[in-house]
Amino acid sequence: MDTEFRSLGSTTFKQPKAKGLEPDQCFYIQNEAVIRGKRKLDLTVDPPPDLAIEIDITSRTHPSIYESLKVPELWRFDQGKLKINVLQNGSYVEVAKSLAFPNLALNDVIPKFLEERQNSWQERSDEGVPSVGTRTD
């Protein structure tokens, strides 16, 4: 898509006197140029990440913390379903299209991608590549 972005992975974000959060993955997309070259971010002056991604497996995401940090977009994977949430008037609203990728049908693309990855792992496992947790000795 020829879009500049910066991934900050699972960086911990916190504002003074507020709860912090650590997304599974986060990105600066629209504000990538604003934080370019910075080694340390200060959310009192720098914008929050444009997109945070959470995969709810063992714990639940608390959108209110993302709302308080004003993260414009939050993707949540819960029970194999992608939920795209955008910040509107200080609260998240579930929408069909991403702010960061409005021309990409994420609810079609992501499940196909995950299925392809799963099939790829299964094929590798079938070919004798040890799966995670399998001892080879």
Side-chain angles (χ1 to χ4, degrees), residues 16-103:
K17 299 181 184 178
K19 285 188 175 181
L21 59 87
E22 187 174 320
D24 292 317
Q25 184 63 263
C26 68
F27 299 91
Y28 280 85
I29 304 165
Q30 293 93 332
N31 285 306
E32 184 275 334
V34 176
I35 61 126
R36 187 180 299 149
K38 291 189 175 192
R39 296 179 75 58
K40 187 171 184 178
L41 297 176
D42 176 356
L43 291 183
T44 62
V45 247
D46 297 312
D50 297 305
L51 170 62
I53 300 174
E54 287 282 1
I55 301 172
D56 293 339
I57 295 175
T58 57
S59 63
R60 295 282 165 233
T61 299
H62 298 284
S64 61
I65 301 172
Y66 286 93
E67 289 169 345
S68 70
L69 291 174
K70 296 179 176 60
V71 176
E73 188 166 356
L74 171 64
W75 295 0
R76 296 171 54 203
F77 290 96
D78 189 13
Q79 298 178 353
K81 184 174 189 242
L82 171 64
K83 295 178 182 181
I84 302 169
N85 299 278
V86 297
L87 199 59
Q88 293 181 357
N89 299 318
S91 298
Y92 283 116
V93 175
E94 190 171 341
V95 296
K97 297 214 176 240
S98 166
L99 294 173
F101 305 101
N103 298 322

Side-chain angles (χ1 to χ4, degrees), residues 113-133:
F113 171 77
L114 293 174
E115 183 179 334
E116 287 173 8
R117 297 293 297 171
Q118 184 175 8
N119 290 340
S120 172
W121 278 103
Q122 183 61 45
E123 287 171 15
R124 291 177 72 196
S125 179
D126 290 346
E127 293 171 0
V129 176
S131 61
V132 175

